[in-house]
Amino acid sequence: MEQIKQFFINIERTDIDENMDNLVSDDVIDSIDIMALVAEIEKHYGKALKAEFINAENFENFASIKKMLESAF
């Protein structure tokens, strides 16, 4: 979870933490934030995140992001 927090810090969203839910559905983050996160994730792992993983449900909260990363990488 610490790495996910670092991804948010890297895109200058220090206001987001692991206790927050509904990041997308409550408009806490938008598509621009998601694409910035994808760029950070790809930079961290050194390879592209497949398009099938880039959807709103996978970015709702830290747990869904973690689960997506475990499946993707």
Side-chain angles (χ1 to χ4, degrees), residues 21-66:
D21 284 324
N22 308 317
L23 295 174
V24 177
S25 57
D26 287 348
D27 294 325
V28 177
I29 63 173
D30 59 17
S31 59
I32 303 298
D33 293 320
I34 291 173
M35 294 316 296
L37 283 172
V38 168
E40 283 298 317
I41 290 166
E42 290 176 342
K43 186 167 81 176
H44 176 77
Y45 286 99
K47 62 181 186 176
L49 181 64
K50 292 182 182 176
E52 66 192 72
F53 293 106
I54 304 171
N55 60 60
E57 296 81 30
N58 285 339
F59 291 89
E60 270 302 324
N61 53 47
F62 276 53
S64 62
I65 295 170
K66 182 178 184 229

